[in-house]
Amino acid sequence: HPKALVDREIDFQVACTKLGPDVVVGGLSALFYYNLAEQVPRQVWVLAPVNKKTRSQGYRLIRTKTPLDKGIIMGKGYKIVTIERAIVEGFKYATKIGERTAIKAARTAIQQKLTTLKKIGTTAKEIGLDSYITKYFETIIGSIS
């Protein structure tokens, strides 16, 4: 729905305002934002430093040790992971997001020329998650070529 993106951005703004400047929209919310996931997240998925806590409902807080200053772009009043980082973290959180969702997101992004496997690999290395991409490399390129 054309209006869905606008509503999603408001949700992202509220989440980042409520949870503080050190959080970043990521996970399933980012994949959905980039039209790489069909499943509409019930909560806004937010990446946060390991010491971050909240009692706020409606947010899927993912505490992470990966740097929250790399692979990030600014939206209108919120920070969100780049498309490459969203894909990489899709594999890292495959148990939460779903392995099929992560693989489909990577394939779709590459097929639609939204990014390249090289850019995804570079981002993965930059944030220290290249082992997750290496594990799925064959699967990602399997149906692309």
Side-chain angles (χ1 to χ4, degrees):
H1 188 275
K3 196 175 175 193
L5 186 59
V6 174
D7 294 342
R8 210 31 55 177
E9 285 191 332
I10 291 169
D11 291 343
F12 294 169
Q13 292 166 352
V14 170
C16 289
T17 300
K18 198 173 213 178
L19 300 173
D22 55 345
V23 301
V24 178
V25 175
L28 192 57
S29 292
L31 289 174
F32 185 75
Y33 176 81
Y34 292 118
N35 293 317
L36 298 176
E38 294 172 5
Q39 180 184 349
V40 180
R42 291 185 188 164
Q43 302 167 303
V44 176
W45 290 50
V46 182
L47 302 174
V50 279
N51 60 348
K52 186 76 165 177
K53 293 180 182 172
T54 185
R55 291 178 186 243
S56 297
Q57 299 285 317
Y59 304 106
R60 179 82 184 253
L61 196 67
I62 300 174
R63 293 180 191 89
T64 182
K65 291 181 181 177
T66 56
L68 294 173
D69 60 345
K70 293 182 168 102
I72 307 297
I73 55 174
M74 285 298 298
K76 296 177 184 168
Y78 61 93
K79 292 186 280 187
I80 189 167
V81 296
T82 61
I83 195 167
E84 292 82 12
R85 182 163 178 166
I87 292 166
V88 171
E89 292 199 337
F91 290 109
K92 180 180 181 188
Y93 301 114
T95 55
K96 293 174 174 57
I97 290 173
E99 196 174 78
R100 284 184 181 168
T101 301
I103 293 167
K104 187 171 189 247
R107 287 178 178 167
T108 301
I110 293 167
Q111 286 170 339
Q112 292 180 0
K113 301 194 185 322
L114 301 173
T115 189
T116 64
L117 195 53
K118 183 177 181 180
K119 286 180 182 178
I120 294 168
T122 302
T123 299
K125 193 168 194 143
E126 192 176 88
I127 60 175
L129 299 178
D130 44 328
S131 63
Y132 292 94
I133 293 300
T134 306
K135 180 180 173 184
Y136 289 99
F137 184 78
E138 295 287 324
T139 311
I140 296 169
I141 62 168
S143 70
I144 294 172
S145 28

